[in-house]
Amino acid sequence: LGGHKRFCDAGTWRCGWCACKHSECSGKGPGPDGPKTLCSACSSRHKNGHTGPPEVNQAGKFVCDLCSRQFETIGALGGHKRFCDAGTWRCGWCACKHSECSGKGPGPDGPKTLCSACSSRHKNGHTGPPEVNQAGKFVCDLCSRQFETIGALGGHKRF
């Protein structure tokens, strides 16, 4: 209790930039006004040269300036921005977007160069995506059934 009283602010502390409470963030960090004046997310932005929090839209959500995705908290935005590619990433084999697949995986050109379906094929010894017919559908080489996505073809072949 003695240690707690030394640092207790009776719940009045707010981040100097985003105004979040201590209970809403993962810790306090240094800012332009001194030590422990910003939440950890804003403090990280301050250390990286930002002069304020990201802008909030009319709905009160933080918006990624690269891809326009919206987040409830500045921490969630920060976690997203570590991996945001502004929607430019494409699978090296089937050219699908990140939003069209269930994740990224390793391929012959390095980590996170293939979608998870193509990465699974790569791990199993394939050297490229399955062939696509003239209608743009993936065709099962065993039964000739057609699928819209490589992931659907992979799910079909598992059973």
Side-chain angles (χ1 to χ4, degrees), residues 56-61 70:
V56 179
N57 66 10
Q58 290 130 346
K61 296 190 178 195
Q70 300 178 16

PDB file of all heavy atoms in Angstrom, residues 56-61 70:
ATOM      1  N   VAL A  56      -8.600  12.228 -35.310  1.00  0.00           N
ATOM      2  CA  VAL A  56      -9.756  11.378 -35.047  1.00  0.00           C
ATOM      3  C   VAL A  56     -10.867  11.807 -36.004  1.00  0.00           C
ATOM      4  O   VAL A  56     -11.076  12.999 -36.224  1.00  0.00           O
ATOM      5  CB  VAL A  56     -10.205  11.541 -33.576  1.00  0.00           C
ATOM      6  CG1 VAL A  56     -11.422  10.702 -33.280  1.00  0.00           C
ATOM      7  CG2 VAL A  56      -9.076  11.191 -32.634  1.00  0.00           C
ATOM      8  N   ASN A  57     -11.590  10.830 -36.579  1.00  0.00           N
ATOM      9  CA  ASN A  57     -12.683  11.186 -37.493  1.00  0.00           C
ATOM     10  C   ASN A  57     -13.930  11.602 -36.709  1.00  0.00           C
ATOM     11  O   ASN A  57     -13.921  11.628 -35.477  1.00  0.00           O
ATOM     12  CB  ASN A  57     -12.977  10.046 -38.476  1.00  0.00           C
ATOM     13  CG  ASN A  57     -13.535   8.807 -37.805  1.00  0.00           C
ATOM     14  OD1 ASN A  57     -13.895   8.790 -36.638  1.00  0.00           O
ATOM     15  ND2 ASN A  57     -13.598   7.729 -38.565  1.00  0.00           N
ATOM     16  N   GLN A  58     -15.013  11.909 -37.415  1.00  0.00           N
ATOM     17  CA  GLN A  58     -16.233  12.385 -36.759  1.00  0.00           C
ATOM     18  C   GLN A  58     -16.844  11.342 -35.841  1.00  0.00           C
ATOM     19  O   GLN A  58     -17.540  11.676 -34.889  1.00  0.00           O
ATOM     20  CB  GLN A  58     -17.266  12.815 -37.807  1.00  0.00           C
ATOM     21  CG  GLN A  58     -16.862  14.075 -38.509  1.00  0.00           C
ATOM     22  CD  GLN A  58     -16.961  13.932 -40.025  1.00  0.00           C
ATOM     23  OE1 GLN A  58     -17.082  12.836 -40.558  1.00  0.00           O
ATOM     24  NE2 GLN A  58     -16.893  15.051 -40.721  1.00  0.00           N
ATOM     25  N   ALA A  59     -16.579  10.059 -36.108  1.00  0.00           N
ATOM     26  CA  ALA A  59     -17.110   8.979 -35.275  1.00  0.00           C
ATOM     27  C   ALA A  59     -16.242   8.751 -34.036  1.00  0.00           C
ATOM     28  O   ALA A  59     -16.527   7.864 -33.231  1.00  0.00           O
ATOM     29  CB  ALA A  59     -17.219   7.695 -36.083  1.00  0.00           C
ATOM     30  N   GLY A  60     -15.159   9.529 -33.900  1.00  0.00           N
ATOM     31  CA  GLY A  60     -14.285   9.387 -32.741  1.00  0.00           C
ATOM     32  C   GLY A  60     -13.278   8.252 -32.869  1.00  0.00           C
ATOM     33  O   GLY A  60     -12.710   7.813 -31.885  1.00  0.00           O
ATOM     34  N   LYS A  61     -13.030   7.797 -34.099  1.00  0.00           N
ATOM     35  CA  LYS A  61     -12.098   6.681 -34.307  1.00  0.00           C
ATOM     36  C   LYS A  61     -10.806   7.183 -34.928  1.00  0.00           C
ATOM     37  O   LYS A  61     -10.790   8.162 -35.671  1.00  0.00           O
ATOM     38  CB  LYS A  61     -12.741   5.632 -35.206  1.00  0.00           C
ATOM     39  CG  LYS A  61     -13.958   5.012 -34.552  1.00  0.00           C
ATOM     40  CD  LYS A  61     -14.453   3.825 -35.305  1.00  0.00           C
ATOM     41  CE  LYS A  61     -15.639   3.250 -34.549  1.00  0.00           C
ATOM     42  NZ  LYS A  61     -15.983   1.955 -34.971  1.00  0.00           N
ATOM     43  N   GLN A  70     -10.155   2.094 -39.679  1.00  0.00           N
ATOM     44  CA  GLN A  70     -10.486   2.829 -38.458  1.00  0.00           C
ATOM     45  C   GLN A  70     -10.288   1.962 -37.218  1.00  0.00           C
ATOM     46  O   GLN A  70     -10.565   0.767 -37.254  1.00  0.00           O
ATOM     47  CB  GLN A  70     -11.935   3.296 -38.522  1.00  0.00           C
ATOM     48  CG  GLN A  70     -12.216   4.199 -39.692  1.00  0.00           C
ATOM     49  CD  GLN A  70     -13.665   4.602 -39.759  1.00  0.00           C
ATOM     50  OE1 GLN A  70     -14.416   4.473 -38.802  1.00  0.00           O
ATOM     51  NE2 GLN A  70     -14.074   5.104 -40.908  1.00  0.00           N
TER      52      GLN A  70
END
